[in-house]
Amino acid sequence: MFSELIEQLKGEVTRYGKAVGKVGQLRLIGIVSRVLGLFLLILNISLCVLALFAFGSVAAIDAMSAYLPVWAAALIVGSFYLLLIIVAICARKPLFIHPFIALLSKQLIHTQEELEFETLKAEKDVELEAIRIETNVNNAVNEFHFFTNLISGFWKMLFKRKVKKQ
């Protein structure tokens, strides 16, 4: 009976540890994906701004020259990069954050909303395992108290009979 109780407690502590580990893993995925997504967004915007300045300077130099089609083409390419910067800012979650979430969670979770849902679910699993462990410990303590009271009552009953016989 005691070894069964120990095995049951060991299994519950193991499940509790796995649930806590899953919560930590999901929180880490959320943090790392946001950091990497922000890093890539900044890198992308920096490169696009650099390219915009490069094409803008080429366009300004060519605008001063007599060749109109060259600077017009440079301004068109520069405006294309400006449009790319706007698209990157507007679509930063699906372009940068969601792919990292999917990559870090091994394709099980694809969006930030799914990550938040899975994190909440894992936190509830941790709470459930903690309640199970607490309940089993309370049951074990109650059984221990029951058996000690039973043994002490039996002991008192034995000694009362011996005292009366003497």
Side-chain angles (χ1 to χ4, degrees), residues 116-152:
E116 290 170 0
F117 177 73
E118 288 295 323
T119 303
L120 283 175
K121 199 163 83 172
E123 287 174 351
K124 291 298 177 189
D125 288 343
V126 167
E127 290 175 14
L128 184 64
E129 290 300 325
I131 290 171
R132 278 191 190 131
I133 289 172
E134 184 178 343
T135 303
N136 283 336
V137 167
N138 286 339
N139 285 341
V141 168
N142 288 338
E143 284 181 22
F144 178 75
H145 287 301
F146 172 75
F147 285 121
T148 56
N149 289 337
L150 185 68
I151 291 170
S152 68

Side-chain angles (χ1 to χ4, degrees), residues 22-38 96-98 100-102 104-105 109 111-116 119:
K22 186 173 182 178
V23 168
Q25 180 185 13
L26 291 172
R27 286 184 180 169
L28 183 66
I29 287 171
I31 291 169
V32 169
S33 65
R34 279 189 228 109
V35 168
L36 287 176
L38 186 61
F96 302 110
I97 295 174
H98 294 169
F100 280 106
I101 291 173
L104 292 174
S105 66
I109 302 169
T111 64
Q112 194 168 6
E113 290 79 22
E114 288 179 23
L115 177 65
E116 290 170 0
T119 303

Side-chain angles (χ1 to χ4, degrees), residues 57-77:
S57 64
V58 169
I61 291 171
D62 283 342
M64 290 182 220
S65 69
Y67 302 106
L68 184 64
V70 176
W71 71 265
L75 284 179
I76 289 172
V77 172

